[in-house]
Every structure is written in C-alpha cells, then in structure tokens.
Amino acid sequence: MPRVSQDHLDARRRQILDGARSCFARHGYEGATVRRLEEATKLSRGAIFHHFRDKESLFLALAEDDVLRMTDVVAEQGLVQVMRDLLAAPPGNGDGPADWLGTRLEVSRRLRTDPEFRSRWAERSNQLTVATRERLLRQREAGNLRDDIDVAVLTAFLELVLEGLVSHLAMGLPADDLGPVLDLVEESVRRHRRAG
Amino acid sequence: MPRVSQDHLDARRRQILDGARSCFARHGYEGATVRRLEEATKLSRGAIFHHFRDKESLFLALAEDDVLRMTDVVAEQGLVQVMRDLLAAPPGNGDGPADWLGTRLEVSRRLRTDPEFRSRWAERSNQLTVATRERLLRQREAGNLRDDIDVAVLTAFLELVLEGLVSHLAMGLPADDLGPVLDLVEESVRRHRRAG
C-alpha cells in the first residue's frame, strides 16, 4: 500500500480549503451543504471530513487562513494596509472576496449564541490583535506613532475600523469613497503634526 | 360597525413592531417564522400582515425605527453619541439590543444579493448619512470641526466606525475597552489642537 506523502496531504487540504471558500462565498454558511461542498471541492464527504472534523472546523480553518495572510501584511505594513488591500479587491460576483466576507457576517449570530464557536473564533482573531499591537509598538519606538494614547486603544481603534470595513464590503455598499477615510484613520494614529 | 380610530391603528402597529423586534432578536431573521411572530406580537398573521406587507417590510420598518431614533440623537449630539449609547446598552440576553443588531448582520448577505432589498435598506440608512453630514456642517460653522478634511470624508469615517461597532456588539465581543476608542474617534474629527 503506497504511503500517502505529506505533500499529497497538504495539496489535498489546500484543494478542500479553496473549494470550500468558494462554496461558502457563493451559498453562505448555512447554504454550504455537504453536497455542495463535495461539488465545489471535487471530493467525497469522506475525503473532506477526513481532513476537517466538521463544517465548522472547515470554516474556522478558512478564517485562520485569512488571519495568517493579514498578520503577514500587518507585520510589514500595518493594519491600515490590510484595509487598503480589502478595498482594492475586485467586487464580489458570487464567489469573490466580498461574498466570503458576507459569510463571516452570517456567522455573527452564531458567534454570539455559541460560546464554544466564539472561543474557537476568538483564538484566531487574537493573533491579528497581537500582530497589530506589536507593529504599533515598533512604530512607536521608531517615533512614527502618537505617544499620548495607549497602544491598546490605538489597536482597538484600528480593529474597530477594520470590522466596519468588513461589514461595509460584505453588505455590498459602495466603497469608492473610502480611500480618504483610510488616510484619516492612518493619520489619527500617527505622531501629531505640530500645527501652528 | 365601529370605525377603527387612528390611535387604535397606531397602537396596533406599535404592538406588532415591539413584538417583532423581540422575536427577530431572539430567533434571528430566518428563525422568526410567522408562527413565532404571532406568538411574540400576540396577534394573528392576518392582523400582522394587514399592517405590514410581509416579513421583509416588518424588518425594514424596525430598521427605520432605529434610524429615526439615531437621527434624533445625531441632530442634538452627533454620531459619536449614538455609538456611546450603543456601548452603554445592557448586554444582550436573548432578545436585547445586541441580539437585534445580530439580526441586522444576518441580513447582510441578503443586502448584497438582493438589489431591491438593498435599495429599500439604503433609503433608510441614507437618512442617517444626511443627518450626520448636517450635524458636521453645523459643527464646522461653529468652529468645532477640523477644516482640512471634506465633511463627506468625516461623515463616511464616522459611519464606518459605527458599522464596526454594530458588528462588534452583534458578535458579542467584549466592549468594555471601547470608550477611549470613541474618544479618539471624536477627537479625530475635531478641530486640531495647536500642539507645540
């Protein structure tokens, strides 16, 4: 019997995640039935749930993917750049980034009412908070950050704006005018200009 | 046959709205079945849908209620005060304000995918934009607002933060630390301090 290589397992896992993301984006969390997940991933339910315990785990793995990508950007360029990237993403046409964001909103009710789901979700999003705070601390040391407000407050501010942007894009609201808003957000955490 | 008075109709309408709000908050948009709406309002489906065309219209009437309340606060105290009020509301325990906000997020997918629903929703939320812009223009005239950024950008900024806050509260995330964040938001739209 051939030994299944790690590379093969990784590729299979990737195939499931990519198909599932598109399936969630297109049909929403509730609408992503096992049958649709099979179609989207081109794999049997047996294969899918060999890699992921259940639909919830699959969904959380996708959320974790997002967080990992975002923390990379945060470390190099900050959380405002994450927001600029979201703004620059092509509009959703059924299974695009905005549609996936919509699925994230769809689970918000579940996040509130299901403590275990919330704690699994919080674990992941906490990584983004940590990365943002670390980035801001480095910026403060470099003298680029305002120093009259606690870094925890600045972190929470940036995260709140990100949540607003995710919600805004997920609802399909017009976002053409949000570039200058992000400029203002960025400026608000920067070292004060010495106005005179 | 007795003539049904306007007062009676208004009271009936109020009874439906109050019951429906609690029902949506408790069961979500999809979960608020006609049977549950009957229980929550203590009225028959005939009576409910005599006043509201369908569940969607009922939901949008509640959203309009929210907007009317918010525009009153905006006119007097600004959009940041609306956010402070949201923050001060008691945490949801099944049918509280946060639970209702969750229902609003639940429909976000629908907002993106159903153009008619989106346009009915947009009509309502546009009233809040107008009220916010008017308030900011008055504040600018009074010399309280920064004058280096267009009022449209400041309006969009405040609305984006509000969207973030709604999403945050609806997800049941901890909000104890958001007071200082709102201070920062408020300060960001105010006239610049003359730092020295």
Side-chain angles (χ1 to χ4, degrees):
Chain A
M1 216 164 79
R3 194 174 138 281
V4 180
S5 73
Q6 187 61 41
D7 276 2
H8 180 79
L9 284 175
D10 288 350
R12 185 52 59 95
R13 190 184 147 89
R14 196 66 262 160
Q15 178 183 356
I16 296 168
L17 287 173
D18 290 346
R21 179 182 294 265
S22 155
C23 184
F24 281 126
R26 190 175 292 276
H27 303 290
Y29 185 80
E30 296 304 333
T33 57
V34 171
R35 181 180 296 269
R36 282 176 171 156
L37 285 167
E38 286 180 320
E39 279 166 23
T41 59
K42 299 186 173 62
L43 290 168
S44 71
R45 60 193 70 198
I48 296 171
F49 296 114
H50 173 69
H51 286 262
F52 298 94
R53 197 174 71 195
D54 47 26
K55 185 162 98 169
E56 177 177 309
S57 300
L58 189 46
F59 177 80
L60 287 167
L62 286 168
E64 183 158 37
D65 255 13
D66 289 351
V67 165
L68 287 178
R69 259 200 300 268
M70 286 198 252
T71 51
D72 283 349
V73 176
V74 166
E76 296 295 320
Q77 302 170 278
L79 196 61
V80 175
Q81 187 58 43
V82 168
M83 300 188 223
R84 293 195 198 281
D85 291 348
L86 280 174
L87 213 53
N93 53 4
D95 67 351
D99 300 285
W100 163 247
L101 294 179
T103 304
R104 291 183 37 159
L105 285 196
E106 194 188 340
V107 303
S108 56
R109 184 180 173 75
R110 180 99 186 280
L111 283 172
R112 203 179 56 257
T113 54
D114 178 342
E116 200 216 323
F117 186 63
R118 184 166 66 238
S119 98
R120 292 181 72 187
W121 175 274
E123 233 173 78
R124 280 149 185 84
S125 57
N126 187 47
Q127 297 172 37
L128 191 61
T129 305
V130 169
T132 302
R133 190 166 47 225
E134 283 173 0
R135 158 86 182 176
L136 289 177
L137 285 169
R138 285 196 303 277
Q139 289 292 93
R140 176 163 288 178
E141 268 173 38
N144 297 328
L145 204 70
R146 61 191 298 173
D147 53 15
D148 58 337
I149 293 188
D150 198 275
V151 162
V153 173
L154 298 178
T155 303
F157 167 67
L158 293 178
E159 290 192 309
L160 198 63
V161 177
L162 173 63
E163 287 179 88
L165 186 64
V166 165
S167 173
H168 191 92
L169 294 173
M171 291 189 180
L173 299 174
D176 310 337
D177 54 346
L178 291 183
V181 171
L182 296 187
D183 295 339
L184 169 56
V185 168
E186 190 150 49
E187 185 229 278
S188 299
V189 302
R190 287 252 167 102
R191 176 186 277 284
H192 291 163
R193 299 130 303 172
R194 290 176 170 257
Chain B
M1 216 164 79
R3 198 175 134 277
V4 180
S5 73
Q6 188 60 42
D7 277 2
H8 181 79
L9 285 175
D10 288 350
R12 186 51 59 95
R13 190 183 147 90
R14 195 67 260 159
Q15 178 183 357
I16 297 168
L17 286 173
D18 291 345
R21 177 181 295 265
S22 154
C23 185
F24 281 127
R26 189 175 292 276
H27 302 290
Y29 186 80
E30 295 304 334
T33 58
V34 171
R35 182 181 297 267
R36 281 177 172 156
L37 285 167
E38 286 180 320
E39 280 167 21
T41 59
K42 300 188 173 62
L43 289 169
S44 71
R45 60 193 70 198
I48 296 170
F49 297 114
H50 172 70
H51 286 263
F52 298 93
R53 198 174 70 195
D54 47 26
K55 186 162 97 170
E56 178 177 309
S57 300
L58 190 45
F59 178 80
L60 287 168
L62 287 168
E64 182 158 40
D65 254 15
D66 289 352
V67 164
L68 287 178
R69 259 201 300 269
M70 287 198 253
T71 51
D72 283 349
V73 177
V74 166
E76 296 295 320
Q77 302 170 277
L79 197 61
V80 174
Q81 186 59 44
V82 168
M83 301 189 222
R84 293 196 197 282
D85 292 347
L86 280 174
L87 213 53
N93 54 4
D95 68 351
D99 300 285
W100 163 246
L101 295 179
T103 304
R104 290 182 37 158
L105 286 195
E106 193 188 340
V107 303
S108 56
R109 184 179 173 74
R110 179 96 188 281
L111 283 171
R112 204 180 54 256
T113 54
D114 178 341
E116 200 217 323
F117 186 62
R118 184 165 65 237
S119 98
R120 291 180 71 186
W121 175 274
E123 233 173 79
R124 280 150 186 85
S125 57
N126 187 47
Q127 296 173 39
L128 191 60
T129 305
V130 169
T132 301
R133 189 165 50 225
E134 282 172 0
R135 159 85 183 177
L136 289 177
L137 285 169
R138 286 196 303 277
Q139 290 292 93
R140 177 163 286 176
E141 267 171 38
N144 297 328
L145 203 71
R146 62 190 299 173
D147 53 14
D148 59 336
I149 293 189
D150 197 276
V151 162
V153 173
L154 299 177
T155 302
F157 167 67
L158 292 178
E159 289 191 309
L160 198 63
V161 176
L162 173 63
E163 287 178 88
L165 186 65
V166 165
S167 173
H168 192 92
L169 294 173
M171 292 189 179
L173 299 173
D176 309 337
D177 54 347
L178 291 183
V181 171
L182 296 187
D183 295 340
L184 168 57
V185 169
E186 189 150 49
E187 186 230 279
S188 299
V189 302
R190 287 252 168 104
R191 174 186 277 284
H192 290 161
R193 298 131 302 168
R194 290 174 169 260

